[in-house]
Amino acid sequence: MTTIHRGLDGVVVDRTAISHVNLDTNSLTYQGYPVQELARHCSFEQVAYLILHGELPDADALQAFKAAERASRKLPRGLWDAINRLPLSCHPMDVLRTAVSHIGAQDLNSDVETASADLARALDLFAKLPSVVAADQRRRRGLDPVPPDPGMNFAENFLYMCFGEVPEPEVVAAFEVSLILYAEHGFNASTFTARVVTSTKSDLYSAVIAAIGALKGPLHGGANEAVMRMMDEIADPSKVSAWLESALRDKKLIMGFGHRVYKNGDSRVPIMQEALWKLAAKHADGARLTGIYTRLADHMLRTKNLYPNLDFPAGPAYSMIGLDIPTFTPVFVLSRITGWAAHILEQSSANALIRPLSHYSGVAEREVPRVLQRN
Ligand code: COA
């Protein structure tokens, strides 16, 4: 009797040294460090380096990493022209996917797959993709792109390129926390997709493009956008109960709740929720959004025993930061590119082609009717 693991639920596919979800303690570690501590004490650049290199950087290594990132932020003219030709009605994730394809096609050595060459490619994408996302959001608002500022750190520079000014330090800090929390999460769907592509010995760009496609879906990264659309539809905290009861009666999925791995709460939520509350304290829409947030979370726990996942606080946080809803999932990419790249490198370093089996459930073998042959 074949056992079928639909959705690979509960299947351990390979080893990884990059991150670990400990369900007993409900914690997430990157290279052994609890993500809560990283979010409190480290910059996003330090965490990105940790994920890519396996250790936190010393002062010199951090300096070199930051300098390399800052030096690669500018988009080549051809890429900007290509983005401008894409319809404004396409999703920004499609723009991002196209941008990676464009950058990959210019890399005439993309088939050279040494670890150092892949690390350099990953760093180049890490530096350039924020410029793509910010310029695309401005293009949709009818505004010219703002060139990157090499004097600013990763988070400040991205927000500056989006809005033409750097927001208040608390806003930048909340955004940086979200980047740290989104950076890496084991064999999630997009990371696994990147590993599958890498396992065929395809190139890093192809793996990243495939991962962007997987992340776009609302059951994965697209949930942060869906959360905000849901909150906009609910509109007011007083309407949460009626809205939720009707949605659950219609068997709708409530976006931002549930998780394949965490069944007793997502370890990243408390720290993102703290950042959300800080943003809300200073924002005109803060009380309304945190009111909807709290009532949804309470009701879901009481009636469905389901906890929020990271996308639940990230959605309203990004809205208060001033990002447009379709930009939310691309922002997830700006951070998760570090986790994807680390997994691509890990898969390459001990490769085994990922090729599972399926249980056939179609009709039994049969003959093609003679009358149809060579017709
Ligand atoms: N809203 C309503 N019901 C939900 C739910 C949600 N967000 N998440 C899970 N459930 C229900 C399922 O319908 C199922 O009920 P059933 O047993 O009566 O059929 C039960 O809880 C178990 O869910 P299941 O689909 O088996 O969990 P999963 O591990 O396959 O799915 C998710 C995990 C994340 C895909 C799922 O929880 C979901 O779709 N969440 C909403 C999208 C989201 O926020 N994605 C971001 C993930 S980080």
Side-chain angles (χ1 to χ4, degrees), residues 306-330:
L306 283 172
Y307 290 86
N309 55 56
L310 176 58
D311 295 313
F312 190 59
Y318 286 168
S319 174
M320 284 191 270
I321 287 170
L323 297 167
D324 295 339
I325 295 178
T327 305
F328 294 5
T329 315

Side-chain angles (χ1 to χ4, degrees), residues 218-220 223 253-260 263 306 309 311:
L219 295 192
H220 191 10
L253 276 176
I254 311 304
M255 303 318 280
F257 286 87
H259 199 274
R260 173 59 68 77
K263 297 298 176 194
L306 283 172
N309 55 56
D311 295 313

Side-chain angles (χ1 to χ4, degrees), residues 32 64 110 115 160 165 216 222 234 275 290 293 361:
S110 67
Y160 167 71
E165 59 185 20
K216 185 184 177 191
I234 295 171
T290 51
Y293 180 102
S361 61

Side-chain angles (χ1 to χ4, degrees), residues 52-91:
L52 289 169
H53 293 272
E55 290 297 342
L56 282 167
D58 60 22
D60 288 347
L62 182 62
Q63 188 56 32
F65 182 72
K66 283 160 81 170
E69 186 270 314
R70 289 170 191 216
S72 303
R73 287 173 177 170
K74 261 186 107 181
L75 302 184
R77 184 77 242 165
L79 174 53
W80 176 235
D81 291 344
I83 292 171
N84 256 332
R85 278 197 292 273
L86 295 171
L88 288 172
S89 52
C90 78
H91 194 281

Side-chain angles (χ1 to χ4, degrees), residues 94-125:
D94 302 342
V95 172
L96 207 45
R97 201 186 55 218
T98 305
V100 177
S101 200
H102 195 278
I103 294 168
Q106 310 293 324
D107 180 352
L108 300 179
N109 298 316
S110 67
D111 56 336
V112 176
E113 52 128 293
T114 58
S116 61
D118 273 344
L119 254 179
R121 291 179 187 115
L123 186 60
D124 192 51
L125 291 178

Side-chain angles (χ1 to χ4, degrees), residues 40 170-171 173-174 177 271-283 286 290 320:
R40 283 208 198 290
E170 309 87 71
V171 173
V177 164
I271 197 142
M272 193 60 224
Q273 194 174 301
E274 206 179 290
L276 172 67
W277 252 247
K278 283 186 187 153
L279 286 171
K282 299 213 161 186
H283 196 280
T290 51
M320 284 191 270

Side-chain angles (χ1 to χ4, degrees), residues 18 51-52 183-185 191 335-344:
I18 302 166
I51 291 171
L52 289 169
E184 160 57 13
H185 213 205
T191 300
S335 158
R336 185 57 63 86
I337 182 89
T338 58
W340 290 338
H343 280 273
I344 289 167

